[in-house]
Amino acid sequence: MIVIVVDSMTGLGKKFADKLGYPVFDIQHYQHDSKDEVFLITRSVNFGEITEPTKLFLTAYAKHVIGVAVSGNRSWGKTFGAAGDKIQLGYGIPLILKFEGLGFPHEVNQVKSWLAQRSPSK
Ligand SMILES: Cc1cc2nc3c(=O)[nH]c(=O)nc-3n(C[C@H](O)[C@H](O)[C@H](O)COP(=O)(O)O)c2cc1C
């Protein structure tokens, strides 16, 4: 079963997650179920670094994560959403989207379509 796990500080990633139509768990409170396929929504800190909660989460559950989307801000220039590139490179998890603010409706739909291909019953 697909679940969304979200690492969100100011709430933008959480709001994006809530539009996807799957159960959403805060990264700090997620309890793994062996049937879960996790879609991760996270953010960047310190010039494109992966946050500590996301690092801890990936250490435990990377192999259950099917894809990642990253909330960011283009004002950070080259490091816009760069945690997503690092997750893709370091953990082999596909980076599906970098989005800014609440994300555009077409971006929400892009992720929904990608997830629906993984779970045809949705
Ligand atoms: C200390 C700090 C560092 C940040 N570094 C980056 C960055 O390198 N790249 C980026 O795209 N956004 C960066 N941001 C912006 C956040 O990632 C962005 O606001 C994000 O949308 C927050 O998601 P959230 O609302 O789910 O917490 C940074 C924000 C803070 C406070």
Side-chain angles (χ1 to χ4, degrees), residues 31-87:
Q31 294 193 322
H32 182 64
D33 181 307
S34 60
K35 292 188 288 297
D36 285 356
E37 295 186 288
V38 175
F39 188 80
L40 176 65
I41 297 185
T42 186
R43 58 199 165 90
S44 306
V45 284
N46 296 337
F47 302 99
E49 292 301 319
I50 305 170
T51 69
E52 282 307 316
T54 290
K55 278 186 195 165
L56 286 173
F57 179 81
L58 289 171
T59 298
Y61 301 120
K63 68 173 186 234
H64 302 286
V65 181
I66 57 174
V68 61
V70 181
S71 166
N73 192 311
R74 284 191 171 80
S75 65
W76 288 83
K78 276 196 296 193
T79 70
F80 169 57
D85 300 304
K86 290 187 172 142
I87 290 169

Side-chain angles (χ1 to χ4, degrees), residues 1 4 8 23 38 40 50 73 76 94 96 98 101 119:
M1 162 181 181
I4 314 291
S8 179
V38 175
L40 176 65
I50 305 170
N73 192 311
W76 288 83
I96 307 308
K98 294 179 184 181
S119 115

Side-chain angles (χ1 to χ4, degrees), residues 5 12 23 25 43 45 66 70 75 92 97 105 107 109-111 114:
V5 171
L12 295 170
F25 297 93
R43 58 199 165 90
V45 284
I66 57 174
V70 181
S75 65
L97 179 73
E107 293 174 319
N109 286 335
Q110 180 190 333
V111 175
W114 189 86

